[in-house]
Amino acid sequence: MPSRDAIPLHRRRQAALIDHLAPPAHNVDPNKGTATLLLLGSGIRNDTCGHCHRDWFHYDSGELYLQVPPADECRKDTDGPCSNCDSDADKPWYPKTPAGGGRMIHIGNHYYDYSTGQKRYMGLRDRVEQFFGIAPPGEQAVGGYPMFQANNCDGVGRGAITRWVRSMCTAAGISKQERANRLRKSLTPNMKENDDGEEVVDKTVA
């Protein structure tokens, strides 16, 4: 199975980002803040986040879960499926890898902060319920959006999501250069054998 080169934030920078996103007093943009926190807390991909719909969230025994479907209609506000979806399919959106479909991801309010060795509040469930307007059975949901919004339209492109995350990291005081240095240290170039049987670099780390 193919895998992605996902290098997590350093534990102190992760805590700094959550500290910036969680308190209501910081008044972060609800779209940017919720999307960034959802990416951080669930591990879903950028494109999955941009297609995420309130219908993907479910409650089980009082706990909230995100169930990424194996396939879904593209519900972005575009003339037909967006440019990242398969326009010839009945359900044109699908996870990048088969393992991504049907996953049940717990959406909780707390995380383990490895920089302090403590369980801390991150408010992911609270923020998701408020943004998408969902509530456990028997409780009243208020307002909310069906999807993340870009220019007052449902659905967000991969480039916009990336810019949102970068803006939240900058606001949290995370150094772009320190992150780049960590990536360079963690990622190694891909090697492959050429026609002469020599090991050559197939992909470099920019």
Side-chain angles (χ1 to χ4, degrees):
M1 286 294 286
S3 62
R4 51 180 166 161
D5 294 328
I7 308 302
L9 282 171
H10 187 277
R11 57 184 178 271
R12 288 196 295 272
R13 294 180 195 116
Q14 176 181 330
L17 179 57
I18 292 173
D19 286 346
H20 175 72
L21 295 172
H26 287 169
N27 197 29
V28 298
D29 179 276
N31 281 283
K32 296 177 182 179
T34 307
T36 301
L37 203 59
L38 182 61
L39 287 162
L40 185 64
S42 68
I44 59 174
R45 291 176 183 270
N46 184 312
D47 184 54
T48 300
C49 186
H51 281 87
C52 186
H53 194 277
R54 65 155 59 110
D55 291 349
W56 294 7
F57 294 95
H58 305 280
Y59 291 91
D60 185 10
S61 301
E63 295 295 319
L64 179 61
Y65 293 89
L66 167 63
Q67 183 169 19
V68 179
D72 197 8
E73 57 184 303
C74 178
R75 292 186 264 195
K76 289 186 181 180
D77 280 334
T78 55
D79 185 15
C82 72
S83 59
N84 296 324
C85 290
D86 184 355
S87 60
D88 296 327
D90 291 335
K91 290 188 174 182
W93 182 86
Y94 55 91
K96 187 173 181 181
T97 61
R103 289 186 301 159
M104 292 286 286
I105 304 171
H106 182 248
I107 304 298
N109 267 331
H110 296 84
Y111 80 107
Y112 186 81
D113 183 352
Y114 284 93
S115 67
T116 63
Q118 296 176 331
K119 184 178 180 181
R120 299 181 60 195
Y121 175 78
M122 72 183 302
L124 177 57
R125 172 172 171 166
D126 291 343
R127 190 179 285 275
V128 164
E129 288 177 328
Q130 181 180 28
F131 182 88
F132 289 100
I134 55 179
E139 297 184 21
Q140 183 65 40
V142 180
Y145 298 95
M147 303 177 74
F148 289 115
Q149 305 289 296
N151 300 319
N152 296 317
C153 295
D154 288 343
V156 185
R158 290 183 293 195
I161 292 279
T162 298
R163 290 190 294 273
W164 287 2
V165 172
R166 286 176 176 166
S167 69
M168 292 294 98
C169 289
T170 299
I174 296 174
S175 167
K176 179 180 177 181
Q177 188 58 52
E178 287 182 2
R179 174 63 176 166
N181 291 341
R182 176 170 167 81
L183 292 174
R184 289 192 185 94
K185 290 178 181 178
S186 301
L187 295 172
T188 55
N190 285 355
M191 305 294 290
K192 72 173 184 180
E193 189 175 291
N194 64 15
D195 293 339
D196 297 325
E198 300 171 327
E199 286 286 319
V200 296
V201 175
D202 180 42
K203 183 182 72 173
T204 59
V205 179

